[in-house]
Amino acid sequence: MNRTATSSIEALIAVAAVAWLTSALQPVLGLASSALLFLLPVLLAATRGGIVPALVAVLAGAGAYNYFLLEPRFTLRVHELDNFISVIVLGAVALVTSRLATRLMTREAEANERARASTEAAALSSLLAAGSPAAALQDGLAFVAERYGPARLVDAADLARADTGLTSLDLSAAAWAIHNGDVTGHGTETLAAADWTFVPLAPRSRPDQVVLALAQPADGRVRRPVDLEQVSQLCLLLGQCRDRASLEAERIERERIETSDRLRRTFLASLAHDFRTPLTVIGGCLELLAPQSPVAAEALLAARRLDRMMGNLLEAARIDGGSLAVNLESLDPVDVIAAACDGLAPPAGVVLHRILPAELPFVRGDQVLLHHILANLLDNAARHARTRVTVSAAVETDRVVLRVEDDGPGVPAAERTRIFDRFSRIEGTDRSGGSGLGLAIVKGFADAMGVPVTVDERPGGGARFSLSLRLAAGASA
Amino acid sequence: MSRILCIDDEPAILRLLEVVLKRDGHELVPAADARAALAALRDAPVDAILLDLGLPDRDGLELLAAIRAASTVPVIVVSARGEVREKVAALDLGAADYVTKPFDGDELLARLRAALRAADKAGSPGGILAHGTLRIDVPRHSVESAGQPVALTPKEFAVLKALVEAGGRVLTHSAILEVVWGKAHREDVEYLRVVIRALRLKLERDPAQPELIRNEPGIGYRLA
């Protein structure tokens, strides 16, 4: 508006100047040249102010031409047709020129806007490329906030928190932006009543879990669509930087885990070595003495138990490290059970029974972990059994259930969860030395494989542990 | 009587091994590190090697590879490192067997006997292989179990032949897969498990309680 008024005044001044000039020089110039001179203010007004000042110049110019130059001078009457035509031509020139000028000016303004936008995007890009992605992301946020007002990131987890300082309408807008990848909230067509504008950081094709929240302008304006478009572009840059930052964070975390895992492995390996070397010597010497001496035979058993405990401690340490490597493959349950039974030396008076159907389907599991689980369950059963330990396998709907049973005192219902905790013992029943870790390792390894393990009562008394294994891909019950 | 090179940096272990080996009439040649071991090997031939992996001057697996490159003498790894992948690595590098510390003397001697026997046989590729009541006629592709002929598929025959040739030593999954199916199938353990089950159904007295083909979890198979 302002600009139109200024240009209109300028046009009037220019018309006045031309009127004065032409009337002063009229004897020299002649009518035709004078009429042409009145085009100048029109062109000037059209290019500087557009259509309104141009029309002002046309009307003022036509009036002045008529009043000062055309006979009868100093009246506004029009006598001859050609004079009337000059007024119309002048008007047409004004219209066309101003349209052209307006279009040019619009294009220039657009080009300027685009240049500014791309300069801004380039500046943000180079800012984001510098330094670590996480720090660059903060710099990038500050860059956007400096130009477009207070800004921060809101992610899906924030939506559930109470302390975000956002109204429920804002939270709805944020959720919409996160789930649909649209620019949402203040200044947009979606939930426009919100106080903030939410701009996605990822292209609509793959919505991300985070959006940029942009406070509404402090002066109460509504942002132009073109500005929001620009913010969207900047947000895509921020999004790429954030992706890099999270990749970087993942890499660092992975390296940290690998390093600590390596250190732990080295530590455990040397610990195992340092314990087992003397145990080997002790056990080996006792083995030589055992045939002649019952005391040495007793000591040999103790040495072997010590080694088992050592093994259990090392395995528990592997579970704690959280880096238990699980290699799920297709296994023959017969293989697994046979290997576990081969390693069992039941105490005198206890017999091991196997009940296996002839054609068991293959199951899915980690062979080494499953072997440890079964070996520990068998060891546990052998230590508690009175006369027999039974290991069995059965197909139940789409699973193979392995069971290890003993005819010992059993596990009271109240203890059936606690029994898988470390160093838990049922009072008064633990007659012979377990490490207190065996069942905890069973649970830890089973959890790592995603295999449920439970304990209940064997029909006829005693404990019954069950492992429920999924069938291998392609196997059928 | 055989000469057994024992490589271990712990003198007490060497003394223990000496007593254990004497029970089978073997002579112990001691070496406290890799350098001494290689020197001893150059000085005089030995019949088998017991190798500890935790040596002061060199990684045990490296030494194993070096020994394997120079000779075919059977190496039994005797180590406190009990991790499965360590065992597989040693076996794949050509160790004849793997015994974890603390070891049982009788078991160590049994494994040693098996390794020595297999090494003896390696030089004479006879047409007939035998293991317990099993007889394999290699040229005629026929197998007898306790005098009864058993019909095997070519893959079953090849797996059984590999196990019998190993003479009670463990063969890793990948070793059997490579021999029978080829290098490209080193990882396809499931092929092997299917054939092992089929072999057990044909050869074992009770296939659900296998006694002949033993599974070493995560490592491989061996014949009892």
Side-chain angles (χ1 to χ4, degrees), chain A residues 237-309:
Chain A
L237 294 174
L238 289 179
Q240 288 166 4
C241 178
R242 187 171 162 277
D243 290 347
R244 277 206 311 281
S246 51
L247 281 179
E248 174 79 1
E250 269 172 36
R251 190 184 59 78
I252 290 171
E253 176 63 9
R254 205 167 49 240
E255 264 174 22
R256 194 189 61 74
I257 289 175
E258 275 167 13
T259 310
S260 83
D261 191 43
R262 203 167 43 242
L263 282 177
R264 216 169 33 76
R265 271 177 191 283
T266 316
F267 172 71
L268 290 179
S270 61
L271 194 69
H273 181 264
D274 292 350
F275 269 82
R276 283 187 167 143
T277 302
L279 264 178
T280 308
V281 178
I282 294 169
C285 297
L286 288 171
E287 199 182 296
L288 297 174
L289 297 174
Q292 290 93 47
S293 153
V295 182
E298 189 74 16
L300 178 60
L301 287 181
R304 297 231 165 105
R305 203 159 71 222
L306 200 54
D307 178 58
R308 270 206 308 282
M309 251 179 231

Side-chain angles (χ1 to χ4, degrees), chain A residues 21-43:
Chain A
L21 189 72
T22 48
S23 53
L25 296 176
Q26 211 216 354
V28 189
L29 282 175
L31 264 185
S33 311
S34 301
L36 278 178
L37 279 178
F38 276 97
L39 270 177
L40 288 176
V42 173
L43 288 171

Side-chain angles (χ1 to χ4, degrees), chain A residues 265 276-277 280-281 284 287-288 304 307 329-332 334-335 339 342 354 356 359-360 362 367 371, chain B residues 10 16 19 23 80 83 85 101-105 190 193 197 200-201 207-209 214-215 217-218 221:
Chain A
R265 271 177 191 283
R276 283 187 167 143
T277 302
T280 308
V281 178
E287 199 182 296
L288 297 174
R304 297 231 165 105
D307 178 58
E329 51 181 348
S330 165
L331 303 176
D332 187 344
V334 170
D335 256 354
D342 286 347
R354 288 188 237 185
L356 299 171
E359 283 280 330
L360 273 174
F362 278 30
Q367 194 181 17
H371 173 72
Chain B
E10 185 66 40
L16 173 67
V19 180
R23 293 218 297 263
E83 279 192 45
R85 61 175 185 183
K101 288 181 188 171
F103 51 79
D104 180 291
E190 197 180 339
R193 293 197 210 286
R197 172 175 279 197
R200 281 180 178 152
L201 287 172
Q209 300 195 27
R214 295 298 181 93
N215 166 40
Y221 290 97

Side-chain angles (χ1 to χ4, degrees), chain A residues 65 70 78 80-93:
Chain A
Y65 178 65
L70 283 186
V78 180
E80 292 171 39
L81 182 65
D82 61 341
N83 292 336
F84 188 66
I85 289 175
S86 358
V87 173
I88 290 185
V89 169
L90 218 49
V93 167

Side-chain angles (χ1 to χ4, degrees), chain A residues 83-302:
Chain A
N83 292 336
F84 188 66
I85 289 175
S86 358
V87 173
I88 290 185
V89 169
L90 218 49
V93 167
L95 207 67
V96 171
T97 321
S98 65
R99 290 286 297 274
L100 284 173
T102 312
R103 208 176 292 169
L104 272 176
M105 283 193 303
T106 315
R107 289 218 185 122
E108 192 188 341
E110 278 173 7
N112 284 342
E113 182 76 23
R114 273 201 302 276
R116 192 192 63 76
S118 63
T119 315
E120 192 174 77
L124 180 60
S125 272
S126 65
L127 189 66
L128 293 178
S132 80
L137 184 63
Q138 290 310 313
D139 293 347
L141 271 179
F143 179 93
V144 172
E146 191 185 303
R147 284 162 180 75
Y148 294 91
R152 62 180 175 144
L153 295 181
V154 174
D155 65 30
D158 290 337
L159 297 182
R161 293 213 328 260
D163 58 349
T164 50
L166 297 174
T167 65
S168 66
L169 185 62
D170 281 321
L171 290 174
S172 309
W176 183 277
I178 286 175
H179 295 129
N180 299 297
D182 292 332
V183 181
T184 309
H186 192 259
T188 72
E189 288 172 359
T190 315
L191 297 171
D195 291 333
W196 295 68
T197 310
F198 298 92
V199 189
L201 291 198
R204 194 196 298 260
S205 53
R206 48 168 195 92
D208 198 358
Q209 292 302 298
V210 68
V211 291
L212 179 86
L214 201 58
Q216 61 172 304
D219 53 13
R221 278 186 307 122
V222 174
R223 283 195 186 80
R224 294 178 302 155
V226 58
D227 286 337
L228 287 180
E229 180 57 30
Q230 170 66 359
V231 174
S232 296
Q233 295 302 322
L234 298 183
C235 278
L236 292 185
L237 294 174
L238 289 179
Q240 288 166 4
C241 178
R242 187 171 162 277
D243 290 347
R244 277 206 311 281
S246 51
L247 281 179
E248 174 79 1
E250 269 172 36
R251 190 184 59 78
I252 290 171
E253 176 63 9
R254 205 167 49 240
E255 264 174 22
R256 194 189 61 74
I257 289 175
E258 275 167 13
T259 310
S260 83
D261 191 43
R262 203 167 43 242
L263 282 177
R264 216 169 33 76
R265 271 177 191 283
T266 316
F267 172 71
L268 290 179
S270 61
L271 194 69
H273 181 264
D274 292 350
F275 269 82
R276 283 187 167 143
T277 302
L279 264 178
T280 308
V281 178
I282 294 169
C285 297
L286 288 171
E287 199 182 296
L288 297 174
L289 297 174
Q292 290 93 47
S293 153
V295 182
E298 189 74 16
L300 178 60
L301 287 181

